[in-house]
């Protein structure tokens, strides 16, 4: 007779455990798409995978034999044991190994991994005694005759990460012959303490790692480990390489390949590269540093045990630190005297890596501006032309990287009255913001532009910053109130104003409202159909203003 018991929560799910004495069959344990092999406690467990795991960004390492940090359901689909529709699969524990190979199969791309402590393989279960369902609910099963009811258990919350430090951070560590095995181990301990302080998580910082040697070696990407314990184990497993200190090659490799969406880079999240170096580089860093800066990457150089006066004669470029960093202002270079004193430097270094305002290289016009649209909804516009205005504003918005940490847009429509259509923080991605623009309904009424400018300055723009706040006003006629003084007050509050006139909009009023220099911030077209041609010039103007003020 089978006896039911309850397994503690794993990866946020509750698993119903059943073992059948003297039989190979098992009641399948419901799991989700991101449940890993390491989360399963017993060898030969039969799990029940939900459908559509190929739609998730699951992490799978290996081919045939998978590292235990892999998604079990993702690996099952990759191996062909399971179809995308889900179902039962049997998991067999295996010892750890070196060189897990990558491959693409059944809609899932597995990744390489140099070494992991445990593995697993997968087979189809021989027989399943219960009717199967891919429902992964934690609701208790109904009590049957002769069976005890299963207790409803409580879900375990996994760390979500430090929400105040939502950076994509790649650590480029020194693994050259110059550092040696002993100091390499001290470096690993330092990195482990640093990442623990950063508090990685799905909504916090993501960490990737590259080793410096003769050729750069990627150890793991930004999306491989989003839980602290997994990241700590991955760092612990790193192997010392030796070879030359080709830091330039490592920086170039990281800048060109690491921050793509395919490798886990998140849109709108600042890009940070922290380069650890013991001594000095063997190659040139100039070109690699330029590529990194042009890619919007904030390069930090952390030098430990800098060259002695006698060693300086061997250093090819004594100013390599200043040339490599994002900006030579003292913020992006950091000196630690010895690997034995790194602990006291963890907190200040963490603060720098998480300083959103200090990360100058990631702050471009495309990901750092707040753009308000002030839209004339008066009767003279008409509904068909109003839709052309919305299309024009959407074309501007598409050029910017709209996200929680990136650019923001908001909109106000006005007649005699004003209506806040949506605020700068209401929509957290570009598509949602564009959909909100599309949904704006035409008001119809009079024209009080001055009052609308005052309303917008007070109700739309909350966040401040040098050259970050922009207001684009679109109108087709003359206002019934004063426009010059409200525009001056808005500009005094740090809002750069662009005016776009159509049809009967007076040029003098447009220039009175526009920021200096007036000609650069004033646009006009006779027909509403001409608005679409103005969008590129507006985007270029915003980026020019942002660059000049930052």
């Amino acid at each position: 007779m089978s006896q039911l018991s309850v397994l503690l929560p794993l990866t946020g799910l509750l698993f119903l455990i059943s073992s059948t004495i003297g039989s190979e069959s098992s009641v399948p344990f419901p799991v989700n798409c991101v449940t890993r092999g390491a989360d399963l406690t017993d060898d030969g467990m039969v799990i029940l995978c939900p459908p559509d795991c190929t739609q998730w960004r699951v992490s799978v390492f290996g081919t045939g034999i998978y590292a235990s940090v892999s998604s079990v359901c993702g690996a099952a689909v990759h191996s062909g044991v399971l179809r995308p529709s889900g179902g039962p699969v049997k998991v067999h524990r295996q010892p750890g190994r070196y060189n897990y190979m990558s491959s693409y199969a059944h809609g899932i791309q597995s990744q390489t991994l140099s070494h992991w402590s445990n593995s697993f393989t997968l087979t189809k279960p021989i027989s399943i005694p219960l009717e199967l369902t891919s429902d992964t609910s934690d609701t208790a099963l109904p009590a049957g005759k002769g069976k005890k009811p299963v207790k409803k258990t409580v879900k375990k919350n996994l760390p979500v990460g430090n929400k105040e430090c939502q950076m994509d951070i790649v650590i480029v560590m020194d693994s050259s012959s110059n550092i040696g095995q002993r100091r390499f181990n001290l470096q690993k301990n330092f990195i482990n303490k640093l990442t623990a302080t950063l508090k990685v998580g799905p909504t916090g910082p993501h960490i990737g790692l590259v080793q410096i040697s003769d050729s750069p070696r990627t150890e793991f990407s930004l999306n491989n480990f989003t839980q602290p314990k997994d990241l700590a184990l991955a760092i612990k497993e790193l192997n010392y390489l030796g070879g030359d200190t080709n830091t330039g090659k490592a920086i170039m490799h990281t800048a060109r390949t690491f921050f793509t969406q395919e490798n886990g880079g998140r849109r709108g999240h600042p890009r940070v590269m922290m380069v650890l170096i013991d001594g000095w580089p063997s190659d040139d860093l100039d070109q690699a540093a330029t590529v990194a800066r042009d890619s919007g990457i904030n390069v930090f150089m952390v030098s430990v045990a800098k060259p002695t006066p006698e060693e300086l004669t061997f250093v090819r470029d004594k100013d390599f630190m200043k040339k490599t960093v994002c900006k030579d202002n003292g913020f992006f270079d950091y000196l630690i005297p010895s690997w034995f004193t790194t602990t006291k430097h963890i907190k200040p270094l963490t603060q720098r890596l998480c300083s959103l305002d200090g990360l100058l290289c990631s702050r471009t016009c495309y990901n750092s501006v707040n753009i308000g649209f002030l839209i004339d909804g008066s009767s003279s516009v008409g509904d068909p032309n109003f839709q052309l205005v919305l299309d024009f504003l959407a074309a501007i918005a598409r050029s910017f990287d709209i996200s929680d940490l990136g650019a923001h847009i908001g909109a106000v429509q006005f007649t005699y009255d004003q209506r806040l259509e949506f605020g700068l923080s209401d929509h957290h991605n570009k598509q949602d913001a564009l959909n909100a623009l599309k949904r704006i309904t035409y008001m119809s009424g009079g024209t009080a532009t001055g009052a609308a400018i005052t309303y917008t300055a007070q109700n739309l723009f909350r966040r401040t910053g040098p050259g970050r706040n922009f207001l684009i006003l679109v109108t087709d006629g003359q206002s019934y109130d004063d426009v010059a003084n409200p525009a001056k007050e808005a500009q005094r509050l740090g809002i750069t104003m662009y005016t776009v006139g159509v049809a009967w909009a007076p040029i003098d009023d447009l220039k009175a409202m526009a920021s200096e220099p007036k000609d650069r911030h004033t646009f006009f077209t006779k027909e509403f159909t001409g608005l679409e041609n103005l969008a590129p010039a507006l985007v270029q103007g915003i980026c020019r203003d942002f660059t000049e003020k930052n």
Side-chain angles (χ1 to χ4, degrees), residues 106-348:
H106 306 103
I108 290 183
Q109 175 67 57
S110 71
Q111 303 175 61
T112 59
L113 192 61
S114 60
H115 177 240
W116 200 254
S117 55
N118 293 286
S119 310
F120 65 86
T121 57
L122 302 146
T123 60
K124 293 180 180 180
I126 298 173
S127 61
I128 300 298
L130 297 183
E131 182 180 356
L132 295 179
T133 172
S134 58
D135 182 13
T136 58
S137 170
D138 62 348
T139 305
L141 296 175
K145 185 177 179 180
K147 294 183 180 180
K148 295 180 180 179
V150 178
K151 295 180 181 179
K152 185 175 181 179
T153 53
V154 181
K155 292 185 176 182
K156 179 181 177 181
N157 294 324
L158 290 172
V160 297
N162 180 8
K163 294 182 180 180
E164 303 302 317
C165 184
Q166 296 189 45
M167 317 299 178
D168 285 344
I169 303 173
V170 178
I171 298 173
V172 181
M173 65 183 295
D174 194 341
S175 191
S176 66
S177 300
N178 195 49
I179 191 171
Q181 181 71 61
R182 185 188 182 198
R183 286 182 291 180
F184 179 79
N185 291 337
L186 291 171
Q187 181 181 208
K188 287 203 300 183
N189 292 336
F190 166 66
I191 292 172
N192 236 331
K193 292 177 182 177
L194 179 70
T195 55
T197 305
L198 285 168
K199 297 179 182 178
V200 302
T203 59
H206 287 185
I207 306 291
L209 193 137
V210 172
Q211 289 211 61
I212 301 170
S213 183
D214 293 326
S215 297
R217 179 161 130 178
T218 297
E219 295 294 348
F220 49 85
S221 299
L222 290 163
N223 58 344
N224 289 157
F225 306 109
T226 57
Q227 293 300 330
K229 64 176 183 179
D230 299 332
L231 180 61
L233 182 56
I235 294 169
K236 183 180 178 181
E237 298 283 348
L238 292 172
N239 294 315
Y240 174 53
L241 301 180
D244 286 337
T245 316
N246 287 331
T247 308
K249 283 185 179 180
I251 293 174
M252 182 72 79
H253 165 77
T254 305
R256 285 179 170 172
T257 66
F258 230 92
F259 294 95
T260 62
Q261 286 184 280
E262 291 78 13
N263 288 326
R266 297 172 290 179
R267 289 182 62 84
H269 291 249
R271 301 171 171 185
V272 176
M273 186 192 310
M274 187 188 77
V275 183
L276 287 160
I277 187 166
D278 181 289
W280 60 91
S282 302
D283 60 349
D284 184 70
L285 276 61
D286 285 357
Q287 184 181 2
T290 300
V291 170
R293 282 191 291 269
D294 290 347
S295 303
I297 300 170
N298 298 273
V299 179
F300 285 81
M301 288 293 291
V302 180
S303 175
V304 185
K306 68 177 183 178
T308 64
E310 295 78 16
E311 292 173 327
L312 279 175
T313 58
F314 300 102
V315 180
R316 295 175 56 180
D317 186 350
K318 296 177 178 59
D319 291 327
F320 73 88
M321 292 278 287
K322 293 181 179 181
K323 293 180 179 179
T324 309
V325 293
C326 162
K327 189 174 181 63
D328 180 25
N329 59 358
F331 182 79
F332 293 92
D333 56 88
Y334 198 95
L335 175 63
I336 299 177
S338 167
W339 288 111
F340 296 98
T341 62
T342 55
T343 300
K344 66 180 181 181
H345 297 279
I346 288 173
K347 185 176 180 180

